[in-house]
Amino acid sequence: IKGADGLRTDLHDFVLTARGTAMFTAYYETHADLTSLGGPRHGRIWACRMLEVDVASGRLVFDWNSLDHVSVTESYERYDKHAKDAYRYFHMNSVGELPDGNLLISARNTSTVYAVDRRSGRIIWRLGGKRSDFRIAANAKFSWQHHVRAHGSSTLTMFDNGLSTGEDSRGLMLSYDVRTKRVG
């Protein structure tokens, strides 16, 4: 399975849906304005895309690009102007669906889980990170997470790397409420 513009699947996630589609992550190197981080106006950056493709036909169903929706300033990844590799501001590592049909995208380097509108691609809410829409209980805080999955409309599971808090890595089962914007 290939994505738009010849993009190939990335090793981070690949989900087959009941609709006969595959959702997966893809990375590509491009240029972006990194002046807000002390970098160049046309700095090298790894952007991420969440692609959904019809398995039978190979037709692209959905294409979400991190650079269209998430600023480089949301990243916790330190920008190093002397690095040889492109800046990895987002690091998408899991994709999935919420019970309402919208998308769930996890980005390690922003320490954020995003609910994304399936039709428009706009971000509905952010959980964690610098711009969280939720109030998170102390025992539910996470960072540099991987493998986020929705279980019904009020539970998420994830692997929390805990790198920024100094905690050990752990599995988390979080209860969340989009109405009250609380997580515990």
Side-chain angles (χ1 to χ4, degrees):
I1 294 184
K2 292 183 180 174
D5 304 327
L7 290 174
R8 297 182 310 160
T9 60
D10 173 69
L11 62 89
H12 284 94
D13 210 354
F14 185 93
V15 176
L16 293 172
T17 71
R19 293 181 311 284
T21 64
M23 296 188 304
F24 54 91
T25 59
Y27 284 60
Y28 71 101
E29 188 176 329
T30 188
H31 292 88
D33 184 350
L34 301 178
T35 55
S36 61
L37 306 173
R41 182 166 306 282
H42 298 295
R44 292 175 45 236
I45 191 168
W46 282 103
C48 300
R49 285 165 65 180
M50 180 265 155
L51 302 168
E52 184 174 12
V53 173
D54 181 83
V55 174
S57 69
R59 179 182 59 85
L60 180 66
V61 175
F62 188 81
D63 183 354
W64 188 86
N65 188 325
S66 63
L67 282 175
D68 292 340
H69 302 279
V70 179
S71 168
V72 296
T73 61
E74 286 189 47
S75 186
Y76 289 100
E77 182 71 13
R78 188 176 62 84
Y79 175 72
D80 179 357
K81 63 183 175 185
H82 302 295
K84 293 183 183 189
D85 196 16
Y87 179 52
R88 295 180 183 271
Y89 93 104
F90 198 71
H91 193 103
M92 184 185 304
N93 57 38
S94 68
V95 297
E97 292 180 287
L98 291 163
D100 64 6
N102 287 312
L103 303 169
L104 189 65
I105 294 174
S106 172
R108 174 188 185 271
N109 291 356
T110 63
S111 291
T112 306
V113 177
Y114 301 87
V116 174
D117 183 277
R118 177 180 283 287
R119 291 189 180 136
S120 68
R122 76 172 175 78
I123 295 172
I124 300 167
W125 50 255
R126 288 168 168 83
L127 172 57
K130 295 178 181 179
R131 295 185 55 198
S132 185
D133 294 306
F134 290 82
R135 187 166 167 212
I136 304 172
N139 65 346
K141 292 189 180 197
F142 60 89
S143 60
W144 307 91
Q145 77 289 342
H146 284 75
H147 202 72
V148 177
R149 293 290 184 251
H151 303 273
S153 60
S154 63
T155 303
L156 294 176
T157 58
M158 71 175 65
F159 179 75
D160 171 25
N161 276 343
L163 297 175
S164 67
T165 62
E167 298 292 322
D168 291 333
S169 296
R170 62 190 177 152
L172 282 177
M173 180 178 284
L174 302 176
S175 295
Y176 71 101
D177 186 325
V178 295
R179 188 180 52 78
T180 63
K181 297 290 195 264
R182 293 182 181 262
V183 176

